[in-house]
Amino acid sequence: MTTDGRAVECGPLRVLHIEYGLGFGGSAISLAELVRGLKEATRVESTILTFQAPGLNEHSYPGTEVLRWRLWLNYQTRADLADRLARWRIPGPLRTVVWKAYGLAAYLFEWHLTRAITRLVRSRGIDVVHANNGWELSAVRAAHRGGARCVIHFRGYQGGEPGTIRERFGAELDRTVVGYIAISASVAEAIRKLGAPPEKIRTIHNPVTVEPYQAAAARRAAIRATHGFGPDDLVAGVFGRITSWKGQVEFLEAMRPMMHECPALRILFVGDQSDATDVSYHARLVALAAAPDLAGRVVLAGFQHDAPGYFNACDIVVHCSRTPEPFGRVIIEGMAAGRAVIAMDEGGPQQIITTGADGILVPPRDGPRLAAEVVALAKDPARRAALGRAAAQTVPARFSPPAIAREVLDVYEREQ
C-alpha cells in the first residue's frame, strides 16, 4: 500500500466485466470503449462475461476474451410473462400461483448464476468484478465469495425506495462494493437516494474514441446512396433502440406537420427493438413512416454495425427521449462525428451540451419546439457547421477513453 492509500502495482489487475444487458445499446458500447481505454492506459487484464446473443458484439472487444452465457430468466422473460398473463383469462388465484412459481424459478436461477460466477472469479484470480448495469446481486455475491472487490456501474436510473441498496446488500456485501460509478450527476443523485454511500459514489462519464468517427466521413456518400438520399437532401438522424421511452414515434408525429417547410429534409432512424419489450411501439413507427405524406422521406435502417458511418451520413442528430436520459451516448457520438446535435434539456444531456455553443437543448417532451429547431437548423448550414465544429472539439477534451479509464482504475484500486 502506498502512502496515499493506493494499491501497489505488483502485477496485472484482473477485472471481470459483466454485461447483463441483452440488447446492444449504449451500455455495451460504452463498456467496449472503456475496456479499450483500460488496455491502452493501464495494467488491467480484462475478461468480458456477456449474456447477449452471438453477433451483437462480435467486433466490440478486439484482443479481449469474451465469455457468452445464457441468461435464461431476465427482464425480458418477466415482461413477456406479465404480457401473457394480462391477455390470458385465468382466475386471480391461479395468476398468483404462476407469479410465485416464476419467483421461485428466478431465485433458483440467481443462486445458480452466483455460484457459476464465483467459480469463474476464483479460477481466474479475479481482483475486481465490474457489474456494468447497476446492482446485480449475483455479481456482488460472487465477488464477496470469491474474495474480489466489486464495482457497480450505474448506466441508468433504477427503481426502488430510499435505502434500497443498503437493505439488499447488508453490511457484509456493502464492504465488498468499493465503488459506485454513475455516468452523470443525475444518476449519482438517484443512487445516493437509493442508499449508496456518498463517499463511494463517483461520477464518471462514458468515453468515446473520436478517430473512427472522423475517418468515417469518407463513407458518407455511399451510406446516403444506400438509403436513397441525394447530395442535396438534409438528413436528421435518430439513433437508438426502438422503444417507447426513446420517443421515436412522438418525434415523427411532431415532425409530420413541419416537413413541408423544408422539402429537402429527410429523417433516418438507426436502431432496432433488440432490447425492447413493447414490440407494438416499433409497429407504430413503421406504420407512421409509411403514411402517404411521409412516404419516401423517412427511412428505418434498423441496427447498423457502422455507427460512425451513419452519424456522418446525417446532417443533424436528434435525441428525443421521453424520460430523462441517464447520459445519452448517441449525443457524444454525433458530436464526435462533427454533427449538430439537438437533445432534451434534462438528465445527462445537460452535462454534455453547452446549448448554443456545441449543440442545442430543448424543453423536455416539447415536440413542436423540437421539430421547429430541427427545421430551423436544416435551413441554416452556417449554424450547423459551427455547432458541429465546436462539438468535435468538445468530445476529445472531455470524453477520451484513456482519461476515463484512469478515473475508473482509481475506483478499482480502492481498498475494501
Side-chain angles (χ1 to χ4, degrees), residues 76-411:
Q76 287 187 342
T77 58
R78 182 180 178 84
D80 182 60
L81 178 60
D83 180 64
R84 290 174 183 271
L85 289 178
R87 288 185 283 108
W88 292 345
R89 295 180 178 179
I90 60 176
L94 180 57
R95 191 185 306 270
T96 300
V97 169
V98 171
W99 273 120
K100 286 184 176 180
Y102 182 88
L104 176 60
Y107 172 82
L108 293 174
F109 181 73
E110 181 86 14
W111 175 81
H112 164 74
L113 184 61
T114 298
R115 286 188 50 149
I117 298 174
T118 301
R119 288 195 296 269
L120 188 62
V121 170
R122 289 172 175 167
S123 65
R124 297 190 173 225
I126 297 297
D127 300 297
V128 178
V129 174
H130 178 171
N132 192 52
N133 309 83
W135 67 38
E136 294 287 349
L137 284 177
S138 58
V140 182
R141 287 170 174 159
H144 176 73
R145 296 172 186 176
R149 302 187 290 279
C150 185
V151 170
I152 304 179
H153 210 140
F154 283 84
R155 299 187 181 276
Y157 306 107
Q158 294 195 229
E161 297 298 320
T164 300
I165 290 178
R166 286 187 183 276
E167 291 173 5
R168 292 191 69 182
F169 288 173
E172 192 174 33
L173 293 184
D174 187 57
R175 288 192 293 272
T176 299
V177 181
V178 297
Y180 298 83
I181 299 175
I183 58 175
S184 67
S186 59
V187 171
E189 176 60 16
I191 64 174
R192 184 194 65 77
K193 291 179 179 178
L194 288 177
E199 68 276 7
K200 290 186 179 182
I201 300 174
R202 181 86 171 265
T203 299
I204 303 176
H205 297 314
N206 289 330
V208 64
T209 303
V210 300
E211 288 78 10
Y213 294 85
Q214 295 170 342
R219 302 194 292 277
R220 172 181 166 89
I223 291 174
R224 287 169 66 96
T226 297
H227 296 290
F229 300 136
D232 296 326
D233 287 335
L234 274 297
V235 180
V238 181
F239 292 75
R241 288 162 293 157
I242 309 299
T243 185
S244 57
W245 77 274
K246 289 291 187 181
Q248 291 97 339
V249 168
E250 291 77 7
F251 169 66
L252 190 54
E253 288 175 337
M255 289 300 304
R256 190 174 185 177
M258 301 285 290
M259 296 291 282
H260 71 279
E261 294 192 20
C262 186
L265 184 60
R266 304 290 184 269
I267 298 176
L268 171 67
F269 291 99
V270 181
D272 61 12
Q273 55 181 24
S274 62
D275 198 27
T277 55
D278 181 10
V279 295
S280 65
Y281 189 80
H282 183 269
R284 285 176 58 196
L285 184 64
V286 171
L288 183 59
D293 56 334
L294 291 175
R297 302 187 67 178
V298 180
V299 171
L300 277 67
F303 172 77
Q304 297 292 334
H305 282 288
D306 186 13
Y310 273 78
F311 278 104
N312 273 276
C314 299
D315 301 286
I316 303 167
V317 172
V318 181
H319 188 268
C320 49
S321 293
R322 302 290 295 169
T323 60
E325 183 73 45
F327 180 73
R329 178 172 182 84
V330 298
I331 295 173
I332 58 173
E333 291 180 316
M335 294 171 73
R339 303 301 96 177
V341 179
I342 305 175
M344 297 296 179
D345 191 9
E346 64 179 348
Q350 291 179 319
Q351 292 190 266
I352 300 172
I353 291 176
T354 301
T355 192
D358 54 13
I360 298 172
L361 295 173
V362 300
R365 292 163 292 284
D366 189 340
R369 174 69 179 276
L370 177 61
E373 289 285 0
V374 171
V375 171
L377 208 52
K379 294 178 178 180
D380 193 341
R383 190 176 182 220
R384 289 200 311 272
L387 290 172
R389 285 192 299 270
Q393 294 173 353
T394 294
V395 171
R398 296 183 55 203
F399 306 105
S400 160
I404 298 296
R406 285 190 288 271
E407 292 188 60
V408 172
L409 181 62
D410 285 341
V411 180

Side-chain angles (χ1 to χ4, degrees), residues 48-63:
I48 311 298
L49 172 59
T50 179
F51 302 103
Q52 293 175 343
L56 282 181
N57 60 9
E58 297 298 330
H59 309 291
S60 298
Y61 309 104

